[in-house]
Amino acid sequence: MKILVTGAAGFIGSHLCELLLQDEENEVRGLDNFITGSKENMRAFYKVHPRFSFVKGSVTDKEFLRPHIEWADHVYQLAAPVGVKFIMNNPVHTILDNIRGIDNILELANQYNVKVLVASTSEVYGKSLDLLDTTGTRGLTEEDYRIEGSTQNHRWAYANTKALDEFLALAYYKQYGLKCVVIRFFNTVGPRQSSQYGMVIPNFVCQALKGEDITVYGDGTQTRSFLHVYDAIQAITELMITEHAVGQVYNVGNPFEISIKELAERIIQKTNSRSKIRYLSYHEAYGAGFEDMQRRTPNIDKIVKTIGFKIRYDLDTILDSIIAYQKAKLNVT
Ligand code: UDP
């Protein structure tokens, strides 16, 4: 199987390449523009592995992309702007890169009959769980309504462009029979995730290891559900080869919820840090008008039914692996 991974130098993309290379039948080509990805992430296989090749460039450039899609049997479309902080600071590129990238990928995949996995995000649900589930007990299902706010809040632009990615993929499937699978990642975490783009776990772990204040935004009662990247990539490779998944949308996440305050406390305790929690308003963290969702947790019945999805890594294991990674990176013992 010839497999193209866009966003191969990113956090999830680099782990995915490694998993795909474990199968001796696979030849993997990575593509990345290095805006948020890095060669360091690919250290284990870049210029080392005989079945891995790499091209530098952007999915927004159709003619650059063409020969690589033509070459492939499968494409994992993971190339996208990433992280709430990065997205808030790059409003134009967030929109254009998402839309142009998916337009090119799907058009070429359709032309050359290549199967595509489109990586979307739980951001597409917006605030739906807060507004639909007053009991605070259930998770989001793929059929749930999506509730997003004003166009003046750029966070919702990201959510909407990702939703448009989904619409376009499903439209190609319906109109032309293009084989595609859409997945929605829920807070995927693990080694190699950078603290640079504002994601909460690498941020807290770095702050704790450096003895800096842990910056909790809002009152810290908001919850998130974290999935280890190894579970995420295992799931998407299985979905990619399952006929039942074609033309479908899947949540890829872990239903276990933790509040951000509790997460901060657990990280302080695990790192034996002297750091203290400092509360910042969303306004201070992201600027005026920023909105967060109180809960965002998946219902995973659909993916369990299709591939027998199993979560292998609990939050403690996840945190231990991230702490070990960041310690090595920061050279802390
Ligand atoms: N957050 C925080 N401190 C940080 C970074 C994030 O309190 O330094 C909060 C953020 O406001 C959100 C949660 O942690 O409620 C998860 O943030 P992240 O950016 O990792 O992902 P999101 O779920 O918002 O996409």
Side-chain angles (χ1 to χ4, degrees):
M1 188 78 74
K2 290 184 175 129
I3 304 171
L4 178 68
V5 176
T6 69
F11 155 59
I12 301 178
S14 61
H15 284 292
L16 175 64
C17 290
E18 269 185 276
L19 179 65
L20 292 169
L21 285 166
Q22 282 175 18
D23 183 338
E24 287 180 7
E25 305 282 303
N26 288 341
E27 209 180 310
V28 180
R29 186 172 297 177
L31 184 154
D32 207 292
N33 61 4
F34 292 128
I35 288 185
T36 54
S38 69
K39 282 187 190 155
E40 177 59 25
N41 283 342
M42 301 190 291
R43 193 163 54 163
F45 52 89
Y46 175 72
K47 289 194 174 167
V48 178
H49 200 291
R51 285 180 284 106
F52 180 77
S53 58
F54 182 80
V55 283
K56 183 178 174 213
S58 170
V59 290
T60 61
D61 180 345
K62 188 157 86 180
E63 291 317 311
F64 160 73
L65 198 57
R66 183 183 295 279
H68 307 301
I69 302 253
E70 189 179 7
W71 167 85
D73 301 306
H74 284 174
V75 178
Y76 287 84
Q77 157 52 1
L78 299 184
V82 74
V84 177
K85 192 165 124 191
F86 182 85
I87 282 155
M88 296 303 284
N89 291 336
N90 296 279
V92 173
H93 282 288
T94 300
I95 296 173
L96 294 181
D97 289 1
N98 267 342
I99 291 174
R100 289 174 178 160
I102 200 72
D103 181 11
N104 291 337
I105 295 225
L106 293 173
E107 186 188 327
L108 294 169
N110 191 45
Q111 194 175 334
Y112 297 111
N113 203 15
V114 176
K115 189 170 181 181
V116 187
L117 183 133
V118 174
S120 181
T121 163
S122 54
E123 277 283 307
V124 300
Y125 290 109
K127 289 174 84 81
S128 50
L129 205 53
D130 299 355
L131 299 169
L132 292 176
D133 175 28
T134 47
T135 63
T137 48
R138 75 171 180 90
L140 290 153
T141 70
E142 289 82 353
E143 280 68 41
D144 271 328
Y145 275 72
R146 302 182 303 107
I147 302 177
E148 281 143 19
S150 162
T151 52
Q152 291 169 95
N153 181 348
H154 183 69
R155 176 176 201 158
W156 307 127
Y158 174 69
N160 278 291
T161 58
K162 288 308 241 180
L164 197 59
D165 289 3
E166 296 191 15
F167 276 127
L168 194 59
L170 298 172
Y172 267 100
Y173 169 67
K174 285 192 190 112
Q175 195 165 342
Y176 303 115
L178 172 69
K179 288 193 171 186
C180 66
V181 184
V182 175
I183 59 100
R184 294 175 176 163
F185 284 127
F186 282 69
N187 294 73
T188 307
V189 293
R192 290 188 202 152
Q193 188 173 40
S194 169
S195 61
Q196 214 180 327
Y197 308 113
M199 282 84 149
V200 66
I201 294 187
N203 233 19
F204 284 2
V205 169
C206 285
Q207 289 168 334
L209 292 175
K210 290 179 188 164
E212 295 170 355
D213 285 350
I214 308 278
T215 54
V216 170
Y217 304 157
D219 62 8
T221 60
Q222 73 271 32
T223 71
R224 287 297 185 272
S225 301
F226 297 97
L227 182 70
H228 197 294
V229 64
Y230 293 166
D231 282 334
I233 57 175
Q234 182 65 37
I236 68 173
T237 54
E238 287 178 28
L239 287 171
M240 183 61 135
I241 56 168
T242 306
E243 270 311 304
H244 296 301
V246 172
Q248 296 290 319
V249 178
Y250 289 92
N251 288 338
V252 178
N254 181 346
F256 175 78
E257 274 177 87
I258 184 167
S259 77
I260 297 302
K261 176 172 180 280
E262 218 184 312
L263 179 71
E265 287 164 352
R266 208 181 284 195
I267 289 172
I268 289 173
Q269 181 228 326
K270 274 186 176 290
T271 52
N272 282 322
S273 172
R274 55 189 155 78
S275 295
K276 299 271 175 292
I277 293 179
R278 180 157 60 95
Y279 290 90
L280 292 180
S281 67
Y282 287 116
H283 180 119
E284 285 171 287
Y286 293 119
F290 183 84
E291 284 181 286
D292 200 14
M293 55 288 290
Q294 184 65 16
R295 292 180 64 229
R296 192 172 64 200
T297 193
N299 173 299
I300 55 169
D301 290 354
K302 188 171 175 184
I303 189 170
V304 168
K305 194 164 170 229
T306 304
I307 57 164
F309 176 58
K310 281 201 181 67
I311 289 157
R312 296 168 297 169
Y313 301 89
D314 65 9
L315 186 63
D316 278 318
T317 317
I318 290 174
L319 292 178
D320 291 343
S321 70
I322 297 173
I323 290 166
Y325 170 78
Q326 292 293 354
K327 270 186 174 171
K329 215 171 159 212
L330 296 170
N331 219 353
V332 177
T333 48

